[in-house]
Structures are given as C-alpha cells and as structure tokens.
Amino acid sequence: DLLPPEVCSLLNPAAIYANNEISLHDVEVYGFDYDYTLAQYADSLHPEIFNAARDILIEHYKYPEGIRKYDYNPSFAIRGLHYDIQKSLLMKIDAFHYVQLGTAYRGLQPVPDEEVIDLYGGTQHIPLYQMSDFYGKGPSIKQFMDIFSLPEMALLSCVVDHFLGHGLEFDQAHLYKDVTDAIRDVHVKGLMYQWIERDMEKYILRGDETFAVLSRLVDHGKQLFLITNSPFSFVDKGMRHMVGPDWRQLFDVVIVQADKPSFFTDPRKPFRKLDEKGSLQWDRIASLEKGKIYRQGNLFDFLRLTEWRGPRVLYFGDHLYSDPGGEDLMLRHGWRTGAIIPELEREIRIINTEQYMHSLTWQQALTGLLERMQTYQDAESRQVLASWVKERQELRCLTKALFNAQFGSIFRTFHNPTYFSRRLVRFSDLYMASLSCLLNYRVDFTFYPRRTPLQHEAPLWMDQLCTGCMKTPFLSDMAHIR
C-alpha cells in the first residue's frame, strides 16, 4: 500500500507463469487435486494440526510434558526445506545440491556455517546419493514439499529444541519417525477433516472462485476429473459448500482416497465404486461413469478406461511430487501440468517491494560511481565499486529476511534457484497462486515462457548495458581471453 501504483504492477500475483509453452485451446480435459487446489485453506488450520500432533506425542508416545509449552510459529519454516534425519538439521538447498549458508537450523537454533561445512566433509554440497529421490524421500534426507508439512517442520524443530535444551539423549531417526507419525495420525484419525467440516466459512477460502472456474470450463465444453487422497464424505461436504449440491455433475470422473503418489506408479490397485452413502461396492469396474464415485485405482487403468492421454489433458495440484510431479504424467503419458503455489502471491508482493527499493539503491550508487570515475583515477573508482558491492551484499541479506528471517524465499537462494524451484520448473508447465488465476485468461489463451538468456548469451552486466559504463573489473579480467 505504500508503493507507487506503477511499482505494484511490476509482477502480478494473479498472473499465471509458464515454464513451457502451452495453448489452452488444445486442452480438452482438466484434472484437479482437492486439498489446496480446488479447496484453499486458511493458515489458521496449521496451529490446529501442530497442537493436535504435539498432544499426540505427549499422550500416546509419552514424550516429555515440557513440549506442551511450544506453540506454532507460522514464521519459522518455509515449504521445500530438507531435513537431514541423522544430523537433526533443517536447511535450504539450492538447485545444485548446495546448502545455502545461514539457513541451517538444529531445533530452533541456527547452526554456524563452519559447522555445517564440517558436517558434510568440508563442503556445502550434499552428495546425490543422500539427496531425496523422485518422491522427496532419500535414504537420510527428507524434503518437505506440501503445505501441510509446515506444522510438521515446526513441531519437529520444537521437539528437537526441547531435547537439546534439556540435555536429553535421543535417537534422531526415532524422533523423526514419531513426529511424522503424530502428524499422520492427525490426518488418519480424521481430526483435520472434523475441524474443517465444523467451520467451513473459517477454513475454506475462495470457494466462489472455484465454482466460477469449474462452471466456466464446463460451459466451454471441457471435461473435468478429480483425483484426491481425501475421503469422499469430506470432499462431498467441501464441494457442496463451494459449488453446491450438484457439484458431481460438473465432473466426468471423481476418484477419492487415491493414495497418491502410488496412484501414478503402482498398476496393481483396482478401482472400487462407492454407493451414495460411501460404502464400497463389489462389482468389477469396466468404465468410469459420470456422477459416480470411485476409490483408489491407478493411473494405468484410468488411462485405459478414459483414453485421456497426451497434451490435451491439463492436471492441477499443489504437491510437486504426488500431483504435477508424477513423472509418468509428463514423460510417459504427456499430460500437461499446473502447480498451485499459494505462497507465490506473498512472494511476488515482496519482490515488487524489493525491486523498487533495489532500483533506488542501484540508481543512487551508479550515479555516485560515475561522478567519481570522472574525477578520480581508475584504482579509486574500483575501490568505490568494491564499497558498492559490499552494500549490495548487505542489501541481499536484508532481502532474505523480507521473505523469511530464517530461510528466505522458497524460490531462490542468494544466487541460484532453490531445489524446490528446480522441481517446480521440471514438473510443471504452469504455476500460479490459486486456481482462480485461470479466470484472468481466455480458455484459448496460449502461455509462453519468458526467454531468459543463457550465461553465454549475456556477455555484459546489466548495469553496463544501461549506463554505458565499460571500465569494470569483469571486462578487464576477461580481456585476455581470445
């Protein structure tokens, strides 16, 4: 609100961003996940998950009562972080498997950069064999990819903090498993579903926009399907709240409790039909009928029964591994994919603010530098440039804190994209803050990725291109290369 109007339009939080060219004119079938795709949830759900899992640890796993003093901190963690189980280390890793220094935490305390480097054999690099495999679960390192993992990371850090703070010995693997099991129990026991069902106005956001998106697609002759891990009773109540009692008429196929990501890779699980009360039926599934509800199944039978293959299918989800990240979707079956990234809206607003402040600092620094270069010898100009670079580095640390004081942006380290960004680019053709962004585009719109220069395509610094300043250390150092 404090920025000039022209600055606020630098990047639009309601825009859709393309990693790959895709024409909606060619898309005939739209698929959706439910949680955090069709149904967007309020952040107030996270403390409920944290508190319930914390109490489960104390009451069922007999963890120390002192853990109850911890409350959920929504500002602590970000999505996409990695957790080294044996080292109890939560950290941000870039696209090249390097730990971003200053973003490693054990419990709630930062770990010095020197210790992080020492822990990994004198380097910031995490070897490939230790890193997460395709679905985010490596032999010793786990990546937290979905939005539900935010309270899980917070609880894990709080429990580790309590054990370390009280000098209690513990097995890192056992502690990690107990915390993840406690979080899982919140879902398996249906606690989260109960909270949402009791107060949908509080927890479900943008329901009217979801209805508008689905209705618009159907009005233009598109076919729709839903594949979710959530149970039918929960999905039914949520869709009735957002869309109305006839929501099933919008979808050609509805699949619940699909058990993703196994749904995309394991061909052994058959589809089961549910009756109107949600009870399992025993008849063999020879076709997937509109208006009916199916449970579990697998992608291979889905493709065989629907013949929905290739780029005419566009599937949306929020989890980069179990939704748009299913390798079979893109490589083997050619589906186009869209990622829903709710954090994108806030990150873009911060980027706009940072770019505005950065432009002022950049202009002031360059103006002063050019004035000095006209008056003093080149050596002193270099000293001025070095001072300016130092100020830029300090500004870089400030920028990190704007996103998140501990871990910065979910999309970028200081210089490189994050590991999360790498997966986002690899596994999604489009990404956006919410499904409602589709309402801002025609149903035949073509998205083009921005052409970004490769390193060998951009020989000059941008400040050189803008100001004509050619006497820089970069060019002088490169002058001997022929």
Side-chain angles (χ1 to χ4, degrees):
D1 293 339
L2 300 178
L3 298 178
E6 63 272 12
V7 175
C8 297
S9 62
L10 286 174
L11 291 170
N12 189 346
I16 294 176
Y17 297 91
N19 294 320
N20 193 14
E21 181 179 339
I22 176 172
S23 174
L24 297 185
H25 179 270
D26 299 329
V27 177
E28 302 171 5
V29 184
Y30 284 77
F32 306 94
D33 182 29
Y34 180 71
D35 297 304
Y36 282 107
T37 301
L38 292 178
Q40 290 274 352
Y41 298 126
D43 291 341
S44 55
L45 185 62
H46 296 162
E48 302 278 4
I49 297 174
F50 177 94
N51 293 339
R54 179 199 61 196
D55 294 345
I56 289 173
L57 278 178
I58 296 171
E59 296 164 11
H60 297 280
Y61 292 81
K62 306 308 178 184
Y63 271 59
E65 182 68 29
I67 294 173
R68 209 183 296 272
K69 72 178 182 181
Y70 291 93
D71 294 320
Y72 177 67
N73 178 4
S75 302
F76 177 69
I78 60 173
R79 190 153 55 125
L81 299 179
H82 283 77
Y83 185 74
D84 190 319
I85 297 173
Q86 295 301 328
K87 298 178 176 63
S88 298
L89 208 62
L90 186 66
M91 53 194 168
K92 187 166 79 168
I93 296 177
D94 72 11
F96 302 97
H97 300 185
Y98 283 84
V99 180
Q100 179 182 343
L101 295 181
T103 66
Y105 278 72
R106 181 177 290 114
L108 300 176
Q109 302 302 318
V111 178
D113 295 343
E114 298 79 8
E115 182 177 346
V116 173
I117 293 173
D118 184 62
L119 285 171
Y120 291 102
T123 178
Q124 299 166 240
H125 185 262
I126 309 295
L128 181 62
Y129 71 89
Q130 292 186 7
M131 287 291 290
S132 305
D133 67 6
F134 184 81
Y135 290 111
K137 298 177 182 178
S140 62
I141 296 181
K142 160 72 184 291
Q143 187 181 19
F144 293 100
M145 290 300 290
D146 64 11
I147 301 174
F148 286 131
S149 65
L150 292 174
E152 181 177 356
M153 286 184 281
L155 180 59
L156 188 59
S157 299
C158 288
V159 175
V160 171
D161 183 77
H162 178 83
F163 274 71
L164 293 177
H166 290 79
L168 302 176
E169 292 187 7
F170 64 98
D171 184 284
Q172 291 96 332
H174 294 336
L175 186 147
Y176 167 78
K177 185 177 187 304
D178 290 345
V179 171
T180 56
D181 285 350
I183 291 287
R184 182 203 62 198
D185 288 346
V186 174
H187 298 275
V188 172
K189 294 180 178 179
L191 298 178
M192 188 194 75
Y193 303 140
Q194 295 172 16
W195 303 328
I196 296 174
E197 290 173 1
R198 278 200 299 261
D199 196 345
M200 292 189 181
E201 289 291 341
K202 174 182 178 181
Y203 290 116
I204 295 182
L205 309 175
R206 295 177 165 174
D208 54 339
E209 297 175 359
T210 295
F211 177 54
V213 170
L214 299 178
S215 300
R216 184 170 181 245
L217 293 175
V218 171
D219 290 344
H220 284 83
K222 307 299 181 180
Q223 294 177 287
L224 310 183
F225 67 89
L226 169 62
I227 303 177
T228 176
N229 286 346
S230 294
F232 171 67
S233 60
F234 174 69
V235 174
D236 183 53
K237 292 173 183 176
M239 291 300 292
R240 286 174 180 269
H241 171 77
M242 293 186 291
V243 177
D246 298 327
W247 68 271
R248 286 157 61 179
Q249 298 306 313
L250 295 174
F251 291 88
D252 294 87
V253 177
V254 175
I255 301 169
V256 298
Q257 292 178 279
D259 193 26
K260 295 178 293 182
S262 296
F263 177 90
F264 296 122
T265 58
D266 187 350
R268 296 171 296 177
K269 297 179 180 179
F271 284 109
R272 298 283 299 275
K273 188 185 295 184
L274 301 180
D275 64 16
E276 294 299 322
K277 296 181 180 180
S279 300
L280 286 172
Q281 302 297 290
W282 299 100
D283 48 325
R284 183 180 180 183
I285 305 302
S287 63
L288 299 176
E289 304 173 49
K290 184 171 184 176
K292 303 296 183 182
I293 304 298
Y294 300 91
R295 176 181 169 179
Q296 214 162 58
N298 62 83
L299 179 64
F300 304 91
D301 286 342
F302 181 85
L303 295 172
R304 176 177 57 82
L305 295 171
T306 63
E307 297 185 352
W308 289 340
R309 303 174 185 271
R312 67 192 187 102
V313 181
L314 174 56
Y315 181 73
F316 291 93
D318 73 291
H319 194 302
L320 297 188
Y321 294 128
S322 67
D323 288 320
E327 186 174 35
D328 290 323
L329 296 185
M330 297 195 324
L331 299 185
R332 188 178 303 180
H333 307 296
W335 282 11
R336 311 308 294 268
T337 54
I340 305 300
I341 313 292
E343 301 96 331
L344 185 64
E345 183 172 355
R346 178 177 178 272
E347 293 245 348
I348 286 178
R349 296 191 187 282
I350 294 174
I351 289 171
N352 285 341
T353 303
E354 189 271 337
Q355 285 184 343
Y356 176 62
M357 300 300 295
H358 169 78
S359 66
L360 296 180
T361 304
W362 182 280
Q363 293 168 8
Q364 294 167 358
L366 276 182
T367 300
L369 178 61
L370 290 173
E371 291 176 353
R372 295 292 297 272
M373 289 185 70
Q374 293 175 358
T375 307
Y376 299 98
Q377 298 297 317
D378 186 63
E380 190 157 355
S381 298
R382 288 173 181 266
Q383 184 177 357
V384 174
L385 180 61
S387 175
W388 174 52
V389 169
K390 182 179 179 181
E391 292 176 1
R392 292 279 302 124
Q393 291 173 335
E394 294 173 352
L395 180 62
R396 186 179 66 179
C397 295
L398 175 62
T399 300
K400 167 179 170 280
L402 286 176
F403 292 98
N404 176 278
Q406 291 74 231
F407 301 101
S409 167
I410 72 171
F411 296 102
R412 180 171 289 282
T413 61
F414 288 142
H415 299 295
N416 297 322
T418 60
Y419 194 86
F420 178 91
S421 289
R422 174 185 175 183
R423 297 310 233 187
L424 178 65
V425 172
R426 172 67 182 80
F427 295 130
S428 62
D429 294 290
L430 305 172
Y431 64 98
M432 64 208 75
S434 74
L435 205 61
S436 62
C437 296
L438 285 171
L439 298 173
N440 300 322
Y441 299 85
R442 303 186 315 273
V443 293
D444 61 350
F445 189 86
T446 299
F447 294 93
Y448 297 96
R450 182 185 307 148
R451 179 180 172 86
T452 54
L454 302 174
Q455 292 299 312
H456 65 275
E457 295 176 331
L460 301 178
W461 288 355
M462 288 307 297
D463 57 316
Q464 298 162 5
L465 296 177
C466 296
T467 65
C469 172
M470 301 300 290
K471 284 190 175 183
T472 66
F474 174 78
L475 291 183
S476 62
D477 293 342
M478 298 295 288
H480 69 282
I481 299 179
R482 292 290 183 265

